[in-house]
Amino acid sequence: MNILCVGGGPAGLYFSILMKKADPGHRITVVERNRPEDTFGFGVVFSDATQDNLAEADRPSYERMLANCARWDDIHIHFNGSVLRSTGHGFSGLARPTLLTILSQRAEDLGVDLRFGTEMEDEELAAAAADGGVDLVVGADGFNSGVRERWAETFRPSVDWRPNRFVWFGTTRRFPAFTFYFKWNDQGLWRVHAYQYARGHSTFIVETRDEAWRAAGLEDAGEYESLVFCERLFADELAGHQLLRNRSVWRSFPTIRNERWHDGKVVLLGDAAHTVHFSIGSGTKVAMEDAIALARALTERRDAGDALAAYEEERRPAVESLQRAAQVSLQWFEETERYMGMEPIQFGFNLLTRSFRITHDNLRVRDPEYVAGVDRWFAAKAARQSGVAVRTDPAPPPLFTPFRLRGMILENRVVVSPMCQYSAVDGMPNDWHLVHLGSRAVGGAGLVFAEMTDVSAEGRISPGCAGLYRPEHVEGWRRIVDFVHAHSAARIGMQLGHAGRKGSTRLAWEGMDEPLEEGGWPILAASGIPYHPHSPVPREMDRGDMEEVREAFVRAARWADEAGFDILELHLAHGYLLASFISPLTNVRGDAYGGSLESRMRFPLEVFDAVRTVWPRSKPMSARVSAVDWAPGGLESADAVEVALLLKRHGCDIIDVSAGQTVPWGKPVYGRQFQTPFSDRIRQEAEIPTMAVGNISSYMDVNTILVAGRADLCVLARAHLWDPYWTRHAAHEMGWELPWPPPYESLDRYRPRFK
């Protein structure tokens, strides 16, 4: 195979090594625009797991890299005068010039034709791809890839330039751990990421917000001026050592994605295909793993087209998962200011778990002493907040600490999400609801929410939705509430809502959000905009409609109290009636209830105030909100903070933070805990307790979210559908005992006894 590799960085060199090693008959030419000594940056980082992959792929280059690596296990976090230390992380640093020298020499030894200082023009690239003598063109030419741009119509790249500014320096100070500094000056907060890459030398990355960078007068600063500024700012941290420069200019990070990575006989590797923010590791590591996957695919398959497809199929999910983690991590560093008021121990834990790839349980395995200290701190804090005694030696797992909202005390932080069952008849809850909610209460959750319960027959989503609009409904709900209180330690909540323009639809399993073919009813909304083009057009509410709906909520709230519910939640999310006032996508009114966010919140707050007046002061109220609409022109997370602040001023005790489902064309960005960052932002900036919801499935996630301060309660839906005893099983896994109801006490003889 005749291979042209454009780009002589780690990706291109490593790929050429692996291909030559697999078959010395391959003719491989590596063309690189720069000379080896022109490399940018100082050190690269590899985890122990990556080192294992490199050892398996090519032992000679790995051994030379290992001989030149600086290794560490610890992370040190310098924060507000404290130093937080965690161990067991297992990373190595290596000078980038040393890495390139090792790979270049190994490639030359294997017979790769290396051509440094050679620029491939656009016409040459096109000719190479068209020439029958070249079987494969590999674009490994970095984030400024000429190969990617030449075939941009095929690869369809996108670039997201991040707002923070950063600059890479080296330093003669040896940092024994991966070290973070957070330092204020008159211009703002400055972050440092520092790690050793060679004996006596470390990388020293300085990062800050764009406004701080401009306020410091660095907009026109060159390398020398930037170096002098940073040496002065971090004189104490550098301890008399100097900074070193190598193309050390201020940059913004570009997150690059491509819809495709290959076409015909052209394929992209590394930063040409994707970038991963430096805060979660090295782009070099990802690029070299790309090279391993591409070389393996080409070696295992005779047809090059099949091989390129297999390479992308294997690598894309892993890279996209890493990019999602990197996105959360880089946003953490863009928004670090919001966490600077935390206690040091929580700040450190929050930083370590920022990307969601490291959890409370991961850290416990790596550094059990550190996590034991974190758990003791969290337990003591929970005891102060709840007024309930909590043992601290050993401390309970964080999810099994109590939490107070007004007069309601939850014995743990697990919440069963409101989940529509579409099983009621004219709004009446029945045996299905008793078993559904009762089993999850017995299953150990601290709080169980009934499904969205509609305040009128016309406010139902479907004919099967539960309601609280007839006096008989009170007894139906009381039966369920009494069971929960009598047979479990759980509290039970009522979520009141009105479907608005999403009403008069079929049962979920007959067609989600699809209008009824017959037997429908008139629907209301903030504006006369149908949900789907083929959905009924709702009537735009007038003042009389508003008063009628408000009174329906008040009546239902009174009845919810009569039924014995412990907490009341108003549904202000997912495009239902009250939510349709909040989003600019569904509210185009020209009166006092449309326009600005404050005006759009006017009617939802009227309803909240009216309900709060009749709901007992000793009982808490919550509100579920859609933090973002996932659609252009819709609500953004900054708007959600304002929504939460308004609700807080009106007596809301906790915000249940969901997202989306406002318009059918919304495009959620799914992933693990994908809505948790919205809860985090609201909790920190609005300073109100929150419930996090959205793809939270493991007790490790729950513990992590709680200790990091991203939410006060965690709401699980499908996990509880799959396992009504989710909380008890989590307790079993963590060695924490939950008392059983008397009929189940015989289970003691079957379960392991924990010390």
Side-chain angles (χ1 to χ4, degrees):
M1 182 178 261
N2 187 3
I3 300 172
L4 171 63
C5 184
V6 183
L13 291 172
Y14 203 56
F15 170 72
S16 68
I17 289 168
L18 299 178
M19 289 301 290
K20 266 292 191 181
K21 180 181 173 184
D23 184 351
H26 291 314
R27 289 178 294 155
I28 304 175
T29 303
V30 175
V31 178
E32 167 57 50
R33 65 171 73 99
N34 298 310
R35 298 183 302 274
E37 60 271 20
D38 293 334
T39 184
F40 158 66
F42 293 90
V44 298
V45 177
F46 298 115
S47 67
D48 285 354
T50 300
Q51 293 275 43
D52 291 342
N53 291 341
L54 299 179
E56 183 178 350
D58 184 55
R59 173 65 64 170
S61 59
Y62 162 75
E63 289 180 348
R64 288 201 60 194
M65 289 164 56
L66 188 63
N68 288 275
C69 277
R71 193 184 183 286
W72 66 88
D73 280 323
D74 294 352
I75 294 176
H76 292 174
I77 302 165
H78 296 253
F79 171 77
N80 288 350
S82 298
V83 183
L84 291 305
R85 296 177 173 85
S86 176
T87 192
H89 297 279
F91 285 96
S92 298
L94 180 64
R96 184 174 174 84
T98 302
L99 174 62
L100 290 175
T101 298
I102 290 169
L103 297 180
S104 297
Q105 290 177 352
R106 174 67 170 150
E108 280 188 321
D109 291 344
L110 291 170
V112 177
D113 182 7
L114 302 180
R115 301 181 186 180
F116 289 100
T118 302
E119 186 78 46
M120 285 288 291
E121 301 296 337
D122 186 72
E123 297 79 8
E124 293 178 284
L125 282 173
D131 183 4
V134 176
D135 301 304
L136 181 65
V137 176
V138 178
D141 47 344
F143 74 87
N144 285 322
S145 171
V147 175
R148 184 184 65 234
E149 294 309 307
R150 173 65 185 78
W151 285 279
E153 290 186 5
T154 295
F155 296 130
R156 294 188 290 277
S158 65
V159 183
D160 175 20
W161 290 95
R162 303 307 305 175
N164 270 17
R165 302 285 180 162
F166 68 94
V167 60
W168 291 67
F169 294 110
T171 178
T172 53
R173 180 174 178 188
R174 175 186 175 274
F175 289 96
F178 202 119
T179 303
F180 294 99
Y181 291 108
F182 298 90
K183 189 167 190 176
W184 293 98
N185 73 353
D186 291 341
Q187 290 83 42
L189 179 65
W190 304 77
R191 305 89 157 132
V192 169
H193 315 239
Y195 57 87
Q196 190 180 179
Y197 66 82
R199 294 181 181 88
H201 287 83
S202 301
T203 295
F204 197 87
I205 306 169
V206 181
E207 181 183 6
T208 192
R209 283 184 169 176
D210 182 78
E211 53 265 36
W213 174 74
R214 293 181 187 277
L218 295 169
E219 191 171 357
D220 298 316
E223 281 189 277
Y224 177 73
E225 293 83 4
S226 297
L227 181 146
V228 169
F229 174 86
C230 291
E231 279 190 338
R232 288 174 178 168
L233 179 59
F234 294 104
D236 292 341
E237 290 76 12
L238 290 168
H241 290 267
Q242 63 181 9
L243 291 178
L244 309 171
R245 51 187 168 134
N246 173 8
R247 297 166 66 187
S248 299
V249 296
W250 292 92
R251 294 173 165 84
S252 297
F253 186 83
T255 298
I256 293 172
R257 299 178 176 87
N258 286 273
E259 290 188 23
R260 296 190 63 186
W261 296 356
H262 76 282
D263 180 62
K265 57 182 179 181
V266 182
V267 65
L268 301 178
L269 276 185
D271 285 353
H274 46 70
T275 55
V276 176
H277 193 255
F278 56 83
S279 64
I280 68 163
S282 170
T284 300
K285 164 251 199 230
V286 184
M288 293 176 73
E289 290 176 341
D290 281 357
I292 293 171
L294 179 58
R296 181 170 58 243
L298 288 165
T299 301
E300 293 175 350
R301 290 165 176 80
R302 292 186 177 182
D303 182 81
D306 290 346
L308 299 188
Y311 153 70
E312 183 168 347
E313 183 178 2
E314 175 190 344
R315 283 296 290 162
R316 182 178 283 278
V319 168
E320 290 181 347
S321 174
L322 196 61
Q323 282 188 312
R324 286 193 295 270
Q327 184 74 10
V328 177
S329 178
L330 69 86
Q331 287 177 338
W332 192 95
F333 282 101
E334 290 169 358
E335 299 156 355
T336 306
E337 284 81 354
R338 76 165 60 128
Y339 305 110
M340 293 300 290
M342 283 184 165
E343 293 184 51
I345 192 169
Q346 186 170 47
F347 180 90
F349 185 90
N350 191 301
L351 186 155
L352 291 171
T353 61
R354 66 193 179 278
S355 72
F356 302 166
R357 294 174 73 86
I358 294 178
T359 68
H360 178 274
D361 199 57
N362 298 146
L363 279 176
R364 185 167 55 83
V365 171
R366 300 177 188 207
D367 192 346
E369 184 177 343
Y370 171 82
V371 173
V374 167
D375 287 352
R376 286 192 296 271
W377 167 82
F378 191 81
K381 183 180 179 182
R384 291 192 300 272
Q385 191 275 340
S386 67
V388 176
V390 181
R391 79 185 196 195
T392 57
D393 190 19
L399 74 86
F400 289 111
T401 58
F403 185 72
R404 175 188 290 271
L405 288 168
R406 297 199 183 216
M408 181 184 76
I409 298 176
L410 305 178
E411 73 164 17
N412 65 60
R413 309 296 186 100
V414 179
V415 180
V416 176
S417 183
M419 293 176 279
C420 289
Q421 300 297 293
Y422 304 100
S423 300
V425 177
D426 190 17
M428 179 64 76
N430 52 42
D431 288 349
W432 177 268
H433 301 85
L434 174 67
V435 174
H436 169 69
L437 296 170
S439 62
R440 282 146 185 90
V442 173
L447 174 61
V448 177
F449 265 111
E451 65 194 80
M452 179 175 122
T453 301
D454 302 302
V455 298
S456 67
E458 298 76 20
R460 291 174 296 164
I461 302 169
S462 76
C465 287
L468 197 44
Y469 52 83
R470 292 194 290 115
E472 307 91 275
H473 293 158
V474 178
E475 289 306 314
W477 285 115
R478 182 182 285 129
R479 181 171 74 118
I480 295 168
V481 171
D482 287 348
F483 177 90
V484 170
H485 287 161
H487 299 291
S488 78
R491 302 293 90 190
I492 183 166
M494 165 58 70
Q495 185 190 71
L496 292 179
H498 187 298
R501 71 179 191 145
K502 295 176 76 174
S504 192
T505 63
R506 305 173 198 174
L507 303 182
W509 48 86
E510 295 175 353
M512 178 69 76
D513 296 324
E514 291 297 320
L516 287 167
E517 295 179 351
E518 57 182 28
W521 51 85
I523 54 177
L524 299 169
S527 297
I529 305 171
Y531 185 71
H532 289 298
H534 59 276
S535 297
V537 178
R539 184 175 82 251
E540 180 172 302
M541 293 176 70
D542 60 22
R543 186 60 212 172
D545 295 323
M546 292 182 194
E547 291 175 1
E548 185 177 337
V549 167
R550 183 193 64 209
E551 291 311 306
F553 272 94
V554 169
R555 178 187 62 205
R558 285 196 178 103
W559 284 346
D561 181 42
E562 285 184 33
F565 283 97
D566 302 295
I567 180 173
L568 185 68
E569 178 167 287
L570 292 194
H571 204 320
L572 309 184
H574 299 169
Y576 296 123
L577 182 69
L578 298 181
S580 74
F581 278 85
I582 301 172
S583 172
L585 298 176
T586 52
N587 183 345
V588 295
R589 301 174 69 100
D591 62 6
Y593 296 94
S596 68
L597 177 60
E598 189 171 2
S599 295
R600 299 196 309 272
M601 280 293 293
R602 191 173 167 191
F603 179 59
L605 288 173
E606 282 184 19
V607 174
F608 189 94
D609 287 344
V611 170
R612 181 71 268 184
T613 299
V614 301
W615 186 247
R617 292 184 61 82
S618 62
K619 294 184 179 183
M621 273 188 66
S622 65
R624 172 165 281 197
V625 302
S626 283
V628 296
D629 286 334
W630 301 116
L635 288 173
E636 299 292 346
S637 60
D639 301 317
V641 175
E642 294 304 312
V643 169
L645 283 168
L646 288 167
L647 287 163
K648 177 183 175 183
R649 291 175 197 139
H650 285 252
C652 186
D653 299 292
I654 189 168
I655 305 294
D656 183 355
V657 186
S658 188
Q661 301 181 51
T662 303
V663 292
W665 60 85
K667 294 184 177 179
V669 182
Y670 291 112
R672 202 164 129 252
Q673 303 175 45
F674 70 108
Q675 293 173 163
T676 299
F678 306 130
S679 167
D680 186 5
R681 180 171 188 176
I682 289 171
R683 188 177 187 273
Q684 308 307 328
E685 296 186 12
E687 297 182 331
I688 186 171
T690 61
M691 294 187 259
V693 60
N695 209 3
I696 301 168
S697 58
S698 74
Y699 67 81
M700 295 176 286
D701 290 341
V702 174
N703 285 332
T704 307
I705 290 167
L706 296 172
V707 177
R710 299 181 183 116
D712 299 276
L713 302 173
C714 286
V715 184
L716 289 77
R718 289 180 178 86
H720 276 120
L721 291 181
W722 177 255
D723 181 6
Y725 283 60
W726 186 94
T727 309
R728 291 194 177 278
H729 291 147
H732 175 87
E733 291 293 324
M734 289 184 283
W736 187 254
E737 292 201 38
L738 288 183
W740 287 91
Y744 286 179
E745 283 185 353
S746 62
L747 283 170
D748 282 342
R749 74 187 69 169
Y750 294 107
R751 60 182 175 174
R753 296 189 177 276
F754 301 105
K755 296 181 180 179

